[in-house]
Amino acid sequence: MEKRATPLHSDKGSALNLGLRVVFAIFGAYGFSVLAGVAFARGGPFSSPLDAAAFSLMLGFILNVCAIVWVFAAATVSRAALGLLFPAMALAAWLHFSG
Amino acid sequence: MSFNPPFDRPRPLRQSMAWLHTWTGLLLGWLLFVIFASGSLSFFRNEINFWMHPELHHLRDDARAIIHARRVLEREAPDSRQWTITLPGPRDPTLFVAWRADVLSSRYSSPSPRSGASRRPAHGSRPEMKRLGLDPSTGEILKMRESSGATFLFRLHFQLHGVSWFVGRWTVGIAAMVMLVALVTGVIIHRNFFKDFFTFRPNRGKRSWLDAHALVGVVSLPFHFAITFSGLLLLGAMLMPSVVRSVYPDDATGFTMGIRGGRDRFNIAPPSRKPAPLGDLAPMVDAAQEEWRGGRAGSVVVANPGDAGATVEVIQAQGYSLANRGIARRLLFDGITGKRLETPPAKASSAIVSVWNSLVTLHLGRFATPVQRWLLFLAGISGALMIATGLILWRISRFKARGPGEAIPVGCRCVEILNVSGISGWLIALGAYFWAGRLLPDTLFARSEWEIRVFFLAWAASLIHATLRKHLSAWVEQLSFSGALIALLPLVNGLTGVSPLFRSLASGPWQVAGFDLCALFAGALLLFAARKVHLHNFGSIALHEPGERPLPATDERSRRR
Amino acid sequence: MTYPNILIFALSAAGLGFVCLGMDRHAKQALGKAPPLPRGRARLGLGAAMLVLSFGSSVQAYGVSIGITVFFGVIAIVSAGIALSIAYRPSLLRFLGGLAALVAMSVALAGFFS
């Protein structure tokens, strides 16, 4: 196992960092993947609603896993949050303006 | 690894993923073990159910089964518009007859505007069916004892027990998503994926557990991904309802019905209203089996029996394509003359739906031959082993990482207790459940609930035992007890049923023989594991430090030629 | 166990056996010494070829979707078996590749003539 690095930051900061990432991973990742699923279902070139729903559900779950991994892999908490927020806002804007 | 999240400082990707893998695995590992174990057993649902009903063990497949089935249906459901006969087969020698109770012919009821048209099933539900089990040799209706059977394990797998189906399925859904994260992070942190493919170094303490965890994980990795992902898909409409609602705005069940083949498959062609006697079914089944060159007929569906427009569809027992929901070959016959009719081609699925179907059908295993079913079962068991070895690995790592003379941390002690009761304790509960299934008196009120109570009481007892005993002693005792309970199941079968192992191996139902043999094998494995832990307990005081040569355990001496 | 199952199993066992012997670490365990690079590569190649044949026969017997499933299932069991046998009885592996290849060839011939 890797040697534990000398803690440069306070334990409180570390706990806050982890807490935020956990919240983003549970709710942020889910919200982002549902948004992406809805956007693809509405906007994608599918031949039937069944295709649209099936594809978007599969995509949604894959994106959910990727988002969770991203939240913990990102170098900083802000990067983790923005990495979810920017695409989510773009998708939300697209959904809003395309009706 | 102690709880020191590295996220507030620069760190390599591997470190983040290792932390995530450890904690997703640890927090939900016990639940996931139960899901994998009960799911694997559910592949053999029919066989386990059959074992738990010894009053059915005398049943044997019979060529006259279809004649008996038709006679009973004519007696019990003369005016139903669709009969389904499930022929006895290698998984179950019981003959089943079923009929649609919601769609009746107009011969015996007063004409109404609705008669003649098939009523759509109630919103979101399947058509109302009535079902009977028959003896294939005599056509006698079978009286079965009240038992939860393997259905309890099946339900436990995807909606747990003791909570509402909504809470249960959501919990399992979250566990599945966490499992997927654990799989992905596990692959990311695994060094030397191909170099270490066959690596297993026994008797090296933590190194061996890590090797075992990696080995069971990697060799059936495609299955772990496929089963976990398809598990999510099966719950998909519930876990991400907004996605479904966005394309089905007014149709609450449009997606769930559509993905299973659509509501049209419940439609029956309107009858011609001219009565005509139904032809012999047996020659039609024989003709179908001849056409399939030995492929067995699994079921027969009669539409509009007693009508001139009656049709008989013979369906093969073996599915041939995952992409089409494990669909089987089917042949259509005219109900009166027995002549072959043009079979309407199965609706082809689009590419996307084929992918969905392949994954989901793989998970459900409805297409599988006995050999394929065993492959799926073993893949599931390897998943359960992967989780179990991971949990044990965590405990060993934490145990080793504490300083000299330091007491066992509370968290580690909790993990120890949960490991023992979650793994060997669950196996004790399983053994107790099967014992109760056979030993509880038939006349006991709420018998099936009592079987389940025994299961949970045994599990709770194992939790208490694990709390009171030292860790390794708890493992030895619980592994021995579960091994004994399960290995003695063939004895219980022999004493309370009509086909003990020696008879079922010779001539009896092989489902019972298979269950008994597996119980013996599994029990023996558990007892062997108990012995290994026991020897380890007495062979060394502390686990090996890295770099130290492994202590010569007593069993190693006995292994040397 | 029907004929296609035995063929798939034998080809997988042969293939994985040769792949295993092509790796330095396991060749040392089973045969006593690591093979020179070209021979190691040849074993890997031969093993891979047999695995491809196993995959092909699985798909031919069961169709694409079920064939892929059966193939991966057989691979899982055989790999676990090989890993355990190297750990406890390394010398067994010496014969595995050749034996399984022999079985596979005879089964294939039997199927060809039946």
Side-chain angles (χ1 to χ4, degrees), chain A residues 2 4-5 9 14 17-18 21 30 33-34 38 41-42 46 49-58 60-62 64-65 68-69 72-75, chain B residues 3-5 7-9 11 13 16-17 19-20 177 180-181 184 191 229 232-233 236 239-240 242-244 246-248 255 258-259 350 352-353 356:
Chain A
E2 271 90 34
R4 189 193 170 149
H9 310 267
S14 164
N17 194 307
L18 177 68
R21 287 192 198 242
Y30 178 75
S33 40
V34 169
V38 171
R42 288 247 189 94
F46 297 111
L50 189 65
D51 277 2
F55 183 86
S56 307
L57 281 175
M58 290 194 273
F61 287 123
I62 293 176
N64 202 340
V65 179
I68 294 177
V69 169
F72 285 97
Chain B
F3 184 81
N4 59 335
F7 301 108
D8 55 346
R9 51 188 177 272
R11 66 212 178 271
L13 176 69
S16 313
M17 297 295 104
W19 191 96
L20 191 56
M177 173 54 69
L180 211 47
V181 173
V184 168
R191 290 177 199 173
F229 189 64
L232 279 171
L233 295 183
L239 296 174
M240 291 197 176
S242 354
V243 173
V244 174
S246 69
V247 273
Y248 285 92
F255 175 70
I259 203 76
S350 66
I352 295 172
V353 174
W356 178 289

Side-chain angles (χ1 to χ4, degrees), chain B residues 33-98:
Chain B
F33 176 81
V34 173
I35 293 175
F36 266 79
S38 55
S40 308
L41 286 170
S42 299
F43 279 126
F44 286 118
R45 200 154 90 240
N46 285 17
E47 289 81 351
I48 295 177
N49 260 333
F50 188 70
W51 186 92
M52 291 185 78
H53 288 278
E55 64 273 12
L56 302 179
H57 290 182
H58 65 282
L59 297 179
R60 296 286 182 276
D61 193 358
D62 195 304
R64 294 163 297 162
I66 187 144
I67 302 173
H68 296 307
R70 183 246 181 87
R71 189 169 35 91
V72 170
L73 280 168
E74 274 172 349
R75 194 179 68 220
E76 303 284 334
D79 43 340
S80 169
R81 285 205 20 233
Q82 189 186 65
W83 294 343
T84 306
I85 302 169
T86 308
L87 296 169
R91 296 199 67 198
D92 198 338
T94 319
L95 171 67
F96 285 106
V97 295

